[in-house]
Amino acid sequence: MRFSSTRRRSLAGAALALTLSACGGGGDSSTSPTPTPPPIVEVTVTHKVRLSTTLGVIELGLDRTKAPATVDNFLAYVNERFYNGTVFHRVIKDFVIQGGGFARGASNVLVQKPTRAAIVLESNKGLSNLRGTIAMARTSDPNSATSQFFINTVDNKALDYPGSDGSGGYAVFGKVTAGLDVVDRIRAVATSQDLPLVDVTITDAVVLP
């Protein structure tokens, strides 16, 4: 899907992010009917993660029942302490805040961290990209998500399966259970081309009992 306005442009710009914007259309509707999205369901919290950031603490409830591969992947990165020191490198106030892939290098430039293998897309589970939910960022390849994630700052149902362009949508795997005010603090920071002027850094990410 393409977001033509500034607030909806690709989250992959300037080589900083996996994109939320897939290329291409949904095919010929006369021969390729649009898949029917599943009914929207609530997030069922099976696992908890705390993200400590330079602007406050965000607690996440993850739903392994509906997105097992996605949750297992995210927890693996947390347990490896991969997210510690990464920044929210894409902030679009009325869309998403995105992080989980870049950290400051020795030259004080953002460097993309090496990741684990990509995972299968789990967007067709009924979890919707509503305000406060967390989902995986990816390229135009549906099965390309690795470490990067985004938190929806508003309702973004156009990102749900099958996606407004039929590319499969974006896999929600949990929600913010505490610290939505911190998300709003992050979404309000000053940016240049969606990159915060002052780093918002994840200082610690841990799995909660």
Side-chain angles (χ1 to χ4, degrees), residues 192-207:
S192 174
Q193 296 184 327
D194 303 331
L195 175 68
L197 297 179
V198 176
D199 285 348
V200 180
T201 304
I202 296 174
T203 57
D204 192 37
V206 295
V207 177

Side-chain angles (χ1 to χ4, degrees), residues 26-37 161-166:
D28 182 353
S29 60
S30 64
T31 57
S32 302
T34 302
T36 301
Y161 177 88
S164 62
D165 65 348

Side-chain angles (χ1 to χ4, degrees), residues 16 18 25 39-40 45 59 68 79-80 88 93 96 107 116-117 131 165 205:
L16 285 180
L18 294 183
I40 294 176
V45 176
E59 292 188 1
N79 286 324
E80 291 168 0
F88 284 93
K93 182 178 180 181
V96 304
S107 306
R116 302 163 64 90
R131 169 170 160 79
D165 65 348

Side-chain angles (χ1 to χ4, degrees), residues 8-29:
R8 292 295 190 272
R9 64 178 172 271
S10 167
L11 299 195
L16 285 180
L18 294 183
T19 182
L20 296 189
S21 176
C23 298
D28 182 353
S29 60

Side-chain angles (χ1 to χ4, degrees), residues 41-48 60-72 122 125 127 134 172-175:
V41 297
E42 294 289 330
V43 170
T44 300
V45 176
T46 60
H47 295 74
K48 298 178 181 179
L60 303 169
L62 310 182
D63 190 343
R64 192 180 183 279
T65 302
K66 300 181 187 69
T70 309
V71 169
D72 285 351
E122 293 182 310
K125 306 295 182 178
L127 297 178
I134 182 171
V172 172
F173 62 99
K175 65 180 180 180

Side-chain angles (χ1 to χ4, degrees), residues 59-143:
E59 292 188 1
L60 303 169
L62 310 182
D63 190 343
R64 192 180 183 279
T65 302
K66 300 181 187 69
T70 309
V71 169
D72 285 351
N73 176 71
F74 187 77
L75 292 175
Y77 282 112
V78 172
N79 286 324
E80 291 168 0
R81 307 191 73 76
F82 177 94
Y83 292 125
N84 294 11
T86 60
V87 302
F88 284 93
H89 59 269
R90 181 69 62 179
V91 172
I92 305 176
K93 182 178 180 181
D94 294 324
F95 190 30
V96 304
I97 61 172
Q98 182 178 341
F102 290 82
R104 288 288 172 187
S107 306
N108 202 36
V109 297
L110 284 181
V111 178
Q112 188 168 13
K113 299 182 68 172
T115 65
R116 302 163 64 90
I119 60 173
V120 65
L121 179 65
E122 293 182 310
S123 60
N124 188 15
K125 306 295 182 178
L127 297 178
S128 181
N129 283 272
L130 302 177
R131 169 170 160 79
T133 56
I134 182 171
M136 293 303 295
R138 61 173 176 80
T139 68
S140 57
D141 176 359
N143 300 310

